[in-house]
Amino acid sequence: MAMTFSEITTALPPKAVTTIDQLPFPRVASGKVREIFDLGDALLLTATDRLSAFDVVLPDGIPGKGAILTQMSNWWFAHTQHLIQNHLLPDQAGEFQRRGITDRDLQLRSMVVRKLTTVPIECVVRGYLVGSGWSSYQKTGEVCGIKLPTGLRQADRLPAPIFTPTTKAPKGQHDEAINDAQGIAIVGAALYEKLKSLSLALYQAGHDRARQAGMILADTKFEFGTDATGDVWLIDEVLTPDSSRYWPAESYAPDQSPPSYDKQFVRDHLLAVKWDQKTPAPRLPAEVIALTQEKYLAALKNLLGG
Ligand SMILES: Nc1ncnc2c1ncn2[C@@H]1O[C@H](COP(=O)(O)OP(=O)(O)OP(=O)(O)O)[C@@H](O)[C@H]1O
Ligand SMILES: [Mg+2]
């Protein structure tokens, strides 16, 4: 059962939850944002309120961010089911009950998911020329080996969305852009073509839906998994502000990088204090935390309505 915006916001925690302890399940992995627990026949994927910037986890979290990301992913999983099956077990409420997961805050930030083998590339799609794509285009006229028309401006919409995958770097390292040949070498030609067409279709559906909600989906990253028979599933988080760049449609204009619904305030702050981008990262002012929480909530409200 999908949740409404007000059901989610009334349950937000007063303080950021950055660690998840005392669960009776074995922890199988701890990512920058998520903790993964083994439920035997499934996994519990729990999003904390941790925030990473420049690939480093910051000491401060954003209260409720984990629940916002999980509920937004759940909404998108429901709206992309016609394109691809996803890792959520069908009856989330029933799964929580059956497994003794009764804490409301924990439920909101968690998913009970199918155990799958993660595909070792990150499937990035870009519809607009911005960020690292814009830097690369200015130098070479290309983005990830894809030649683009001359004369494009920063934040211009691309003639058609492009698939620009990256490696999945181990903890502490940066993902590297790869071209089609490198992608094929990693996952094989058949799977690569499938991932590319699925990613482009998902981006298009996401872009159209976001547009109806007053936002532009500039770019995004999908992750996929495979089961024992080789079937492909959409996994992880999907079309959230952590995995995507959303712009408010009304302030969009080419030639400038529009403000986004994510951690731009955090990045701006970290650049202003001239942090060397090594751990430990500096603490965030309360105002930056509050503004960032507002951005995540605004994106959720636009999509879910309410
Ligand atoms: N259904 C699934 N089965 C197996 N692994 C999964 C599944 N869904 C997601 N994962 C994996 O769980 C991890 C989620 O953790 P998290 O997002 O915190 O880590 P991260 O990817 O290191 O951080 P970031 O997203 O900031 O790069 C990812 O490695 C993802 O590939
Ligand atoms: Mg992740």
Side-chain angles (χ1 to χ4, degrees):
M1 245 294 280
M3 300 197 50
T4 65
F5 177 73
S6 65
E7 280 171 324
I8 299 165
T9 50
T10 50
L12 292 182
K15 266 179 55 207
V17 175
T18 54
T19 53
I20 309 281
D21 298 318
Q22 287 152 356
L23 289 189
F25 315 113
R27 192 185 308 259
V28 286
S30 181
K32 285 187 287 261
V33 171
R34 290 176 181 75
E35 300 291 337
I36 308 178
F37 300 93
D38 194 349
L39 300 176
D41 57 341
L43 295 174
L44 183 70
L45 197 58
T46 299
T48 67
D49 294 337
R50 294 194 292 260
L51 176 76
S52 71
F54 307 107
D55 281 337
V56 175
V57 177
L58 306 184
D60 294 291
I62 306 298
K65 171 175 174 274
I68 296 169
L69 295 186
T70 295
Q71 297 306 317
M72 200 185 295
S73 292
N74 287 353
W75 188 89
W76 279 116
F77 281 130
H79 286 90
T80 53
Q81 269 189 98
H82 61 294
L83 294 172
I84 180 169
Q85 58 192 353
N86 61 65
H87 68 166
L88 283 185
L89 296 190
D91 174 18
Q92 290 288 299
E95 296 293 340
F96 290 140
Q97 272 323 300
R98 229 155 38 76
R99 297 165 194 275
I101 301 164
T102 51
D103 181 80
R104 191 72 187 127
D105 180 73
L106 181 65
Q107 290 180 348
L108 278 175
R109 58 178 73 250
S110 300
M111 304 172 186
V112 179
V113 304
R114 201 173 285 268
K115 278 185 176 171
L116 296 160
T117 305
T118 55
V119 172
I121 61 172
E122 309 232 300
C123 295
V124 178
V125 179
R126 299 162 193 268
Y128 293 75
L129 191 57
V130 72
S132 63
W134 168 240
S135 314
S136 156
Y137 174 78
Q138 286 175 287
K139 284 183 215 126
T140 63
E142 297 183 352
V143 177
C144 300
I146 300 165
K147 184 106 202 113
L148 295 174
T150 55
L152 293 177
R153 297 160 296 175
Q154 181 179 25
D156 255 334
R157 189 171 189 178
L158 296 173
I162 54 174
F163 182 58
T164 59
T166 70
T167 58
K168 245 192 226 296
K171 233 180 176 158
Q173 292 174 34
H174 300 290
D175 297 335
E176 303 281 352
I178 50 176
N179 60 26
D180 284 344
Q182 292 166 307
I184 289 169
I186 298 171
V187 301
L191 180 55
Y192 187 81
E193 284 312 319
K194 190 177 270 179
L195 299 176
K196 183 191 235 177
S197 62
L198 280 170
S199 299
L200 290 168
L202 284 165
Y203 172 82
Q204 199 56 57
H207 181 273
D208 296 349
R209 270 271 170 186
R211 201 66 192 74
Q212 290 170 25
M215 300 189 292
I216 289 174
L217 176 63
D219 47 45
T220 190
K221 175 203 77 173
F222 302 106
E223 292 192 44
F224 296 93
T226 51
D227 61 23
T229 69
D231 269 356
V232 177
W233 301 72
L234 184 58
I235 67 166
D236 203 56
E237 61 180 330
V238 63
L239 293 164
T240 71
D242 273 14
S243 67
S244 320
R245 189 187 319 250
Y246 285 105
W247 295 325
E250 77 272 7
S251 57
Y252 169 73
D255 242 351
Q256 63 189 59
S257 179
S260 58
Y261 286 96
D262 67 352
K263 31 195 181 188
Q264 194 57 48
F265 286 111
V266 174
R267 286 190 291 257
D268 290 348
H269 170 75
L270 294 173
L271 291 173
V273 300
K274 299 199 165 35
W275 168 48
D276 63 5
Q277 299 189 12
K278 296 192 185 88
T279 35
R283 301 289 310 264
L284 296 176
E287 181 192 88
V288 171
I289 294 175
L291 285 169
T292 303
Q293 188 198 44
E294 261 176 43
K295 288 287 161 192
Y296 279 90
L297 282 170
L300 183 73
K301 186 171 193 199
N302 287 346
L303 287 173
L304 273 63

